[in-house]
Amino acid sequence: MKDHQFCFGILGCGMIAGIHAEAIGSIPEAVLAGVADANAERERAFAAQRGVHAYESYDQMLSDPQLDVICICTPSGFHAENALAALRHGKHVVLEKPMALSAKSADEIVAACAQAGKLLTVISQLRFSEDVQRVRALLAENALGRLTLCSLYMKYHRSVEYYASSPWKGTKAFDGGGALMNQGIHGVDLLEYIVGPIKAVTGKARTLSHRIEVEDTAVAMLEFENGALGVIEASTCAYPGFERRIELHGDKGYIMLKNNQIEKMMVNGEEFSAEVADAGTSSDPGALHCEMHRRQIQNLLAAIRGEEELVVDANEGRKAIRVIEAVYRA
């Protein structure tokens, strides 16, 4: 089997692990072999539902020579140490966001990848959207002229029950941050991926509605290396929750993305609009589908085989953390 398929293990059997399992199951050259979780009851239930092995510990999983790739789906505060352990054991890694809670820890992962000679991809699945790739191509062609305003709006809602559902949610030690580091990091990654590097950041972060240790509201002003300006607005207390939006304006046109799809644009004097359905994750993080995860994991496997460049390596994964840390410092 190993000659033809990549064997996966999943660490952490919470909500996002189900997405990884579904994505792995949809890839012909991949197979989920087993799982591990500190909560033995949850691990056994997850393993039994999918007919895979339940390891006694993470160390036992990492010591299994059958496994090629480890998907890390633990609370954010464990991501760095879990990734470093997997790399030390010679495994390739799929690492959920954020890859670490600081740029310093992210740098340690970058160095460990080089030392181990293994590949690590940080889940930034929205990069694999057809519309996102189309927008990047349009900007590369200067279809909007000179970019002037490039902004990101993430006005989400998370209930009291959401934070109460796990003891680590909303904590500095295990979430590292709130509306930006936890809920908003995909949007920050996507904005910089589309527009280009962010040169300077200033902002404010506050906890205005929830009784949590991290921010539930943040705003930032941005200056991009290409000269454009922009803002980020992030919240988990914008009732009842609204879909993520990215707005790009230039002196010859505009593009407006709802989630990862083009909703409106004007390019070369022609306007376009489309009905874009809500993803449902603005108020329910569980309303997530596996297709983009599947594409990202397939990209990792192709990169391991030497057939493609890895789209989101550890260096790419640290970029959004760098931006968010700059907002927190400001």
Side-chain angles (χ1 to χ4, degrees):
M1 180 169 62
K2 194 169 179 180
D3 291 337
H4 306 287
Q5 290 183 302
F6 290 91
C7 290
F8 282 72
I10 295 177
L11 176 64
C13 297
M15 180 272 293
I16 199 64
I19 300 297
H20 283 251
E22 188 178 352
I24 293 164
S26 67
I27 299 172
E29 66 270 31
V31 61
L32 178 60
V35 297
D37 193 288
N39 183 320
E41 182 179 349
R42 181 169 64 180
E43 176 190 347
R44 287 194 295 268
F46 190 97
Q49 183 180 1
R50 292 161 178 83
V52 300
H53 181 64
Y55 292 94
E56 292 182 5
S57 66
Y58 187 36
D59 285 340
Q60 187 188 59
M61 173 190 279
L62 292 181
S63 299
D64 187 346
Q66 177 186 217
L67 298 185
D68 304 293
V69 186
I70 304 296
C71 292
I72 296 173
C73 302
T74 49
S76 301
F78 294 114
H79 286 181
E81 65 179 85
N82 293 156
L84 292 171
L87 292 166
R88 284 195 299 268
H89 280 78
K91 309 298 186 184
H92 300 287
V93 177
V94 177
L95 181 55
E96 263 298 335
K97 58 79 182 172
M99 66 182 289
L101 300 188
S102 69
K104 181 180 179 182
S105 292
D107 289 339
E108 293 175 3
I109 296 173
V110 171
C113 289
Q115 183 175 358
K118 296 297 178 180
L119 297 184
L120 178 148
T121 189
V122 181
I123 288 295
S124 304
Q125 75 274 17
L126 302 177
R127 293 189 182 199
F128 293 83
S129 158
E130 292 93 342
D131 276 11
V132 168
Q133 293 301 322
R134 183 183 179 191
V135 171
R136 274 172 54 88
L138 287 169
L139 295 190
E141 299 165 2
N142 293 316
L144 304 186
R146 169 140 192 190
L147 289 176
T148 54
L149 285 171
C150 302
S151 296
L152 166 65
Y153 306 99
M154 302 178 290
K155 300 175 183 179
Y156 303 147
H157 181 260
R158 295 292 183 266
S159 65
V160 172
E161 291 75 19
Y162 166 81
Y163 288 107
S165 66
S166 295
W168 61 271
K169 287 182 177 177
T171 65
K172 290 182 179 178
F174 295 109
D175 256 356
L180 282 175
M181 184 68 83
N182 189 296
Q183 285 79 21
I185 194 167
H186 282 315
V188 176
D189 174 79
L190 200 58
L191 181 67
E192 194 168 32
Y193 178 63
I194 290 171
V195 181
I198 294 171
K199 178 182 177 181
V201 177
T202 185
K204 291 184 182 294
R206 297 285 186 269
T207 307
L208 300 179
S209 178
H210 297 98
R211 293 190 174 185
I212 54 177
E213 296 176 1
V214 295
E215 85 285 354
D216 61 16
T217 305
V219 294
M221 293 186 294
L222 315 173
E223 180 184 358
F224 294 87
E225 285 189 4
N226 60 25
L229 302 178
V231 300
I232 295 174
E233 295 182 9
S235 179
T236 57
C237 50
Y239 187 82
F242 302 86
E243 301 296 312
R244 178 184 53 250
R245 307 189 67 85
I246 290 178
E247 298 186 1
L248 311 173
H249 295 271
D251 58 10
K252 292 183 180 178
Y254 67 86
I255 299 173
M256 296 185 179
L257 286 158
K258 181 178 179 181
N259 294 318
N260 55 298
Q261 294 180 270
I262 298 170
E263 186 174 45
K264 297 178 182 179
M265 69 177 182
M266 176 184 282
V267 175
N268 298 323
E270 295 186 6
E271 287 194 282
F272 165 87
S273 62
E275 289 290 330
V276 177
D278 288 353
T281 54
S282 61
S283 56
D284 177 12
L288 190 65
H289 302 286
C290 80
E291 173 58 21
M292 297 301 169
H293 277 70
R294 181 191 67 79
R295 294 179 189 180
Q296 182 162 357
I297 292 171
Q298 278 195 312
N299 171 246
L300 171 67
L301 301 185
I304 293 171
R305 293 191 298 262
E307 298 169 358
E308 295 179 8
E309 291 292 322
L310 189 60
V311 174
V312 194
D313 63 8
N315 277 302
E316 286 294 301
R318 77 177 296 281
K319 289 181 177 179
I321 295 174
R322 176 188 61 84
V323 173
I324 292 168
E325 275 194 335
V327 178
Y328 290 161
R329 284 195 302 269

